[in-house]
Amino acid sequence: ALDGVDIVSYLEHNLPVENTLDGQLAYNSTRKELVYFKNASWHFVKDNDRIILVSGFSFLIDTTLTTIPATSDYIGETTDTQFTMPFVDDGVYNCTIDWDCNNPGTDAENVTTPGRITHTYSEPGQYLIAITGVITGFRFDYYETTSPNSEALDSAKKMLELRKFGSLVFTGGLSDTTNAGDSFMKCRNMIITAPDAPDTSGSLDFIWMFYQNNNITQVPLLNVSSASRFWAMFRECSSLQTLPDGFN
């Protein structure tokens, strides 16, 4: 991702290896080519089959994950070519959704009104989605039910990898739906590789935020300075290995 990230230029023999993470980009000024770091070595972009540079709030989905558990706790079933974006009814949006970053600009949508959006692809499969612009509110909890925190939109199970939080913002109090609580609940197949964190400085509520995220091993460092509720934030996160400072 390139949002706010400078690509540093190095002479070829000075490209750093120590403390360099997979995915790091640099400019090889000796060869005048973009390079990336993977498996302890630098590689020219041309050596890779394809590299997609993504900015904004970005995540990978799999539309084919449609199986509902015998005891269903997912609502609003989508087909194997659909995904429901969990924008909330009282959120603020002025953004562009690129529904297929592997084919930039071919499937984009400008959004200025709040509320969920169900998108239909031409065929089932995995898609990288990126959202740029104002995004205030994102919540998989099916908050319209009389039993909050028990049911989630079925697209939650289609989330595979959260790659960047970008401009995603959570704000508000205990009663609205733009807080951080319930936002990624029951994303059971999702991992988090994002190097950044969402803006949660205005959120009072973090309850159930990552509930039943069975595959995540780490979570970002979140601003919880305004928060008053954390109950079940990491409940049933069976693979979670570490917590950021402030949650110990």
Side-chain angles (χ1 to χ4, degrees):
L2 298 180
D3 279 6
V5 177
D6 292 329
I7 298 178
V8 181
S9 176
Y10 298 95
L11 292 173
E12 188 166 65
H13 65 277
N14 286 330
L15 284 165
V17 175
E18 293 184 4
N19 301 318
T20 302
L21 301 176
D22 280 2
Q24 179 67 49
L25 294 173
Y27 184 73
N28 184 334
S29 57
T30 303
R31 298 279 296 272
K32 296 182 172 57
E33 292 193 63
L34 190 66
V35 292
Y36 67 98
F37 193 79
K38 185 176 182 181
N39 297 331
S41 298
W42 288 97
H43 305 268
F44 292 109
V45 169
K46 67 180 182 181
D47 294 335
N48 196 327
D49 183 40
R50 190 173 198 185
I51 283 190
I52 305 298
L53 303 180
V54 176
S55 62
F57 175 36
S58 56
F59 48 91
L60 182 69
I61 65 166
D62 188 339
T63 65
T64 67
L65 298 176
T66 57
T67 303
I68 299 291
T71 303
S72 177
D73 51 4
Y74 290 107
I75 296 296
E77 185 173 357
T78 51
T79 69
D80 66 355
T81 61
Q82 292 180 320
F83 178 81
T84 297
M85 188 70 66
F87 288 172
V88 297
D89 292 341
D90 56 355
V92 178
Y93 306 95
N94 186 4
C95 60
T96 298
I97 304 174
D98 189 340
W99 293 99
D100 183 7
C101 292
N102 289 311
N103 297 285
T106 62
D107 195 1
E109 178 178 0
N110 296 322
V111 177
T112 57
T113 56
R116 301 171 189 150
I117 303 169
T118 296
H119 185 75
T120 301
Y121 291 94
S122 59
E123 59 184 29
Q126 292 187 7
Y127 293 91
L128 180 59
I129 297 173
I131 312 172
T132 54
V134 177
I135 320 160
T136 306
F138 187 90
R139 185 175 182 176
F140 278 108
D141 180 26
Y142 192 71
Y143 55 85
E144 293 173 356
T145 68
T146 57
S147 180
N149 312 118
S150 63
E151 298 171 322
L153 293 178
D154 84 314
S155 287
K157 66 180 178 292
K158 298 185 178 186
M159 295 281 286
L160 290 185
E161 181 184 0
L162 205 168
R163 294 191 177 180
K164 191 173 184 182
F165 288 101
S167 58
L168 178 61
V169 173
F170 293 106
T171 185
L174 302 178
S175 60
D176 67 25
T177 53
T178 59
N179 54 45
D182 309 307
S183 52
F184 298 103
M185 67 174 292
K186 301 194 177 179
C187 293
R188 292 177 170 128
N189 298 308
M190 185 181 76
I191 62 172
I192 299 175
T193 59
D196 59 341
D199 182 355
T200 58
S201 58
S203 180
L204 305 180
D205 186 351
F206 287 82
I207 65 171
W208 306 91
M209 184 177 185
F210 298 104
Y211 174 48
Q212 290 188 355
N213 281 208
N214 302 330
N215 285 341
I216 63 171
T217 59
Q218 59 183 4
V219 292
L221 178 62
L222 299 170
N223 185 333
V224 297
S225 58
S226 299
S228 59
R229 299 204 300 179
F230 299 93
W231 189 75
M233 183 177 180
F234 304 109
R235 183 175 178 179
E236 298 182 37
C237 294
S238 56
S239 299
L240 187 60
Q241 298 174 359
T242 61
L243 290 177
D245 292 341
F247 291 104
N248 298 327

